[in-house]
Amino acid sequence: MVVLLLTGVAAVGVWLVVTLKTSVTAVLLALLGTALLGPLYRRLLRMKVRRSPAAGLTCAAVLAVVGGAAYIVVNALLETGDQIISSLRRAARDLAQHFGAAGTSLDDVAANAKELLSKFGGTAASGVISGLSVVGEMIAVAVLALLLVFFFLRDSDRAVLTLRSLVPRSTGDTAEAMARRAFEAVEGFMRGTTFIALIDALCITVGLLILRVPGAVGLGALVFVGAYIPYLGAFISGAVAVLVALADRGFVIALWVLGVVLAVQVLEGHVLQPMIQSRTVQMHPAVVMLAITAGASLAGILGMLLAVPVTAAAFGVIGELRARYATGAPSGPSGPSPAAGS
């Protein structure tokens, strides 16, 4: 009975996500932002700042930080983008000459890519009006998410009371504990992934600068962004770095770049993740890849970015349920709310 109920809830949830994709995306982004900004907000509260000014200052700080980081990343990609693309083209041409099948050329690849884009991405790239609509929707989602972050932070102390008012009295403790575990999983994922992404990007950028690979800063920015898509992002950014090195610096330097990328991945997998994310929900790589695939099918690149933290929250809820009902003696939640200030 419980399995059927959970299946029905999941089906309704997927339908709502597909139907209300814009609103759901804004809410999910706001929850991720709240999880990431919770420590700063609570620090301001401990400094005797009132809730509304504290939430406003936190949102202003994140707007400045995210805006600055976005400017640095975009500027680095714009400044080195042409160089990276030309290097990738040379690498593709060399690989096609040495390993390509009967007459495979870069022009053929480009023609096939255009055909695929026209076939599968026609709706998104069907004209200027459609493009402006997409940009407008993205801006609206970002503004809505920022406003929701403000309200989620300011009214975080009311979240538990609101949740309890929505569920039967007998299940209040269980619902609160599930919400806490889900939020803790998302908070741990966001904070840990951001810190790991920064370390990965710095290490790989330094390595590329030492090896004098062109576009090192832009490639480092690509590594930082790709870190939010586990496994797949690291593979793509690492492959791009190796191909750029192969085209501009030769086979030996490309091998050194591959060694740097692999060394950083070993550092991440065996040192950083156990240290930083040891308290969050641990998921099998197959589960992560399936979640990323499902997110991509539902919401494209944004769905890929949101898939893993949402899955981590789901695993947190399942873990809480298993811990409570496996012992047969569920206990009330303890400790402050993850987003509460006091």
Side-chain angles (χ1 to χ4, degrees):
M1 182 65 181
V2 176
V3 175
L4 292 177
L5 179 61
L6 291 177
T7 303
V9 171
V12 173
V14 172
W15 179 78
L16 288 175
V17 168
V18 175
T19 305
L20 306 173
K21 184 172 67 175
T22 302
S23 300
V24 171
T25 299
V27 172
L28 291 177
L29 288 174
L31 288 174
L32 295 182
T34 304
L36 187 61
L37 299 173
L40 175 59
Y41 174 72
R42 293 192 289 269
R43 181 179 293 273
L44 290 174
L45 291 179
R46 288 194 294 268
M47 296 171 61
K48 307 303 181 181
V49 180
R50 297 179 64 86
R51 288 186 174 275
S52 293
L57 288 173
T58 303
C59 291
V62 74
L63 192 61
V65 172
V66 171
Y71 173 79
I72 293 173
V73 171
V74 171
N75 188 55
L77 290 175
L78 288 177
E79 288 183 352
T80 60
D82 293 338
Q83 195 173 19
I84 293 174
I85 291 174
S86 63
S87 299
L88 288 176
R89 286 176 176 172
R90 284 200 300 272
R93 189 179 299 113
D94 293 340
L95 292 175
Q97 289 177 354
H98 291 87
F99 303 105
T104 300
S105 66
L106 192 61
D107 295 334
D108 296 332
V109 175
N112 292 332
K114 291 179 180 179
E115 182 180 353
L116 290 175
L117 285 174
S118 63
K119 183 176 181 180
F120 296 106
T123 302
S126 59
V128 176
I129 296 179
S130 178
L132 291 176
S133 176
V134 172
V135 172
E137 181 178 337
M138 292 176 61
I139 294 175
V141 169
V143 173
L144 178 58
L146 185 63
L147 292 175
L148 288 176
V149 168
F150 172 81
F151 290 116
F152 287 170
L153 289 172
R154 190 194 66 176
D155 301 328
S156 57
D157 59 323
R158 307 176 190 173
V160 172
L161 296 178
T162 303
L163 178 63
R164 284 182 172 273
S165 68
L166 297 175
V167 299
R169 185 182 301 272
S170 60
T171 60
D173 288 345
T174 302
E176 181 181 344
M178 290 165 56
R180 290 180 187 276
R181 282 291 296 271
F183 191 87
E184 288 171 0
V186 174
E187 186 178 38
F189 172 82
M190 288 301 298
R191 292 167 60 184
T193 300
T194 301
F195 190 64
I196 291 173
L198 182 61
I199 294 177
D200 286 356
L202 287 176
C203 291
I204 290 181
T205 301
V206 170
L208 295 177
L209 288 174
I210 293 175
L211 295 171
R212 292 185 294 174
V213 176
V217 177
L219 292 171
L222 185 63
V223 170
F224 179 82
V225 175
Y228 286 93
I229 306 177
Y231 306 111
L232 184 61
F235 174 78
I236 293 175
S237 59
V240 171
V242 172
L243 288 175
V244 170
L246 178 64
D248 279 88
R249 300 284 288 139
F251 182 74
V252 175
I253 298 299
L255 287 180
W256 276 103
V257 171
L258 178 61
V260 170
V261 172
L262 292 178
V264 171
Q265 294 305 313
V266 170
L267 174 67
E268 175 185 336
H270 292 82
V271 179
L272 297 179
Q273 285 189 349
M275 287 177 56
I276 298 173
Q277 293 186 328
S278 59
R279 297 182 180 180
T280 61
V281 177
Q282 301 296 322
M283 295 180 290
H284 193 277
V287 175
V288 174
M289 295 304 298
L290 288 174
I292 292 174
T293 303
S297 64
L298 289 175
I301 296 178
L302 189 59
M304 296 172 68
L305 294 172
L306 296 175
V308 178
V310 170
T311 306
F315 267 70
V317 171
I318 294 173
E320 178 64 26
L321 289 174
R322 183 174 55 189
R324 285 177 155 257
Y325 292 104
T327 59
S331 58
S334 60
S337 173
S342 57

